[in-house]
Amino acid sequence: MNVSREPDIQQVLARAGENGGPFWSREDGNIHAPAGFSTIDVLNVLGELGATVESHPRLAEAIEFVFGYQAADGAFRYSSASSKFPCMTGQILAGLGRLGALDGSRCPAAFSWLLDNQSEDGGWRCATVKLGKSPETDAANPGATLYVLDAFRHRPDAGGDRLDYAVESLLHHWETREPLGPCAFGIGSRFLRVEYPFLRYNLFYYVYVLSHYPSAVGDRRFQEAVRALAAHAREGQMIVEAPHRKWLEYDFARKGRPSAPATARWREIQARG
């Protein structure tokens, strides 16, 4: 049964000033904090719930606000003083894609910046953490790589074969499961618990994004991940096991309960895989 998410969308829109700044930003201008209910997070969640600029014109102003954080080279900062991180640029582009707002004049530069900053191992990492600490720290961040691939699924022609290289880096992580990159993203018990909405490096988010890439779908490692995710479904519905605490009040993110939008994503995965 289709369940309208409009009441949830309207409630989230009504909370736009709750962090002290405009459009879920903090009073100090940070659009990455607080974790889970920042500007970047909220725009992604609204897109997951089905909001678009076309259906919710009020979002156009929020999107213009975010473009105010774009640097001349196309990358995005999360505050006026922050560095430019691929994870932030990836998350912002992914959110814009969900909202149907990938601006044709401003977003291509951001996608190009991401390709220009792809790591030798295929993924993306934070360049502010210098190389040379250890092979694990020097590796790309699987979480950042997932965010970037989430962005590129909306513009696959912009990445070409380079995206298959990134897909391979995530599939390889399924095998090694080691904490990799400066932020030490690993695959353990926490990763394997179903999280929704898609905010962090997690099995459900991992499978959903990779299901958009043909080079992943036929791979045995992806199929193993799909089977691991299927074990968490109940009577065809996806059960949320580890919701983000910032979203607990919403029925689509209730712990131990089936989630209508999460189930819709699960069915998309099944249809593509």
Side-chain angles (χ1 to χ4, degrees):
M1 181 177 67
N2 291 327
V3 178
S4 172
R5 301 260 61 97
E6 188 60 26
D8 293 331
I9 292 170
Q10 292 300 328
Q11 184 180 353
V12 174
L13 289 172
R15 298 173 61 187
E18 128 172 358
N19 295 327
F23 304 113
W24 309 280
S25 65
R26 281 197 327 201
E27 188 175 4
D28 62 3
N30 191 314
I31 61 171
H32 176 50
F37 204 77
S38 66
T39 304
I40 297 173
D41 293 328
V42 169
L43 291 179
N44 271 281
V45 174
L46 285 172
E48 276 294 298
L49 297 179
T52 65
V53 177
E54 184 177 357
S55 64
H56 296 81
R58 292 163 57 191
L59 287 170
E61 192 175 347
I63 289 165
E64 282 303 309
F65 173 70
V66 170
F67 273 116
Y69 289 77
Q70 190 175 29
D73 59 6
F76 285 87
R77 293 185 167 89
Y78 65 83
S79 72
S80 59
S82 77
S83 296
K84 295 172 289 188
F85 300 109
C87 56
M88 296 293 103
T89 297
Q91 283 180 287
I92 289 169
L93 289 174
L96 294 175
R98 285 182 170 87
L99 294 168
L102 283 173
D103 184 282
S105 62
R106 293 178 287 189
C107 289
F111 283 110
S112 294
W113 182 85
L114 287 170
L115 292 176
D116 289 343
N117 286 276
Q118 189 173 13
S119 297
E120 291 185 2
D121 61 5
W124 282 266
R125 76 186 299 279
C126 170
T128 62
V129 178
K130 302 305 180 185
L131 296 171
K133 292 187 175 183
S134 71
E136 293 76 23
T137 303
D138 290 350
N141 277 341
T145 303
L146 185 66
Y147 294 141
V148 173
L149 286 175
D150 191 9
F152 270 105
R153 72 182 174 86
H154 298 283
R155 289 288 187 273
D157 293 342
D161 294 343
R162 301 274 293 277
L163 302 183
D164 291 338
Y165 193 25
V167 165
E168 173 57 30
S169 75
L170 288 187
L171 293 174
H172 183 62
H173 195 222
W174 178 257
E175 295 181 297
T176 68
R177 309 204 170 197
E178 295 177 332
L180 296 178
C183 296
F185 285 95
I187 292 180
S189 59
R190 179 176 175 178
F191 174 91
L192 295 171
R193 296 166 64 203
V194 172
E195 292 191 13
Y196 192 80
F198 296 139
L199 294 171
R200 298 178 288 204
Y201 191 57
N202 171 264
L203 175 65
F204 190 17
Y205 191 13
Y206 175 95
V207 171
Y208 177 70
V209 171
L210 287 180
S211 73
H212 291 81
Y213 290 90
S215 64
V217 170
D219 193 283
R220 64 166 180 79
R221 295 163 293 184
F222 173 77
Q223 294 299 329
E224 287 174 6
V226 172
R227 288 193 292 272
L229 180 60
H232 297 268
R234 185 188 306 157
E235 297 180 352
Q237 298 187 82
M238 189 53 63
I239 308 300
V240 179
E241 298 171 332
H244 197 289
R245 61 185 179 85
K246 293 289 187 179
W247 295 95
L248 288 173
E249 67 184 90
Y250 294 92
D251 63 3
F252 61 82
R254 296 266 171 85
K255 185 175 182 178
R257 299 278 298 278
S259 166
T263 297
R265 293 308 194 199
W266 169 231
R267 289 172 181 165
E268 287 180 39
I269 292 167
Q270 292 176 301
R272 282 192 289 268

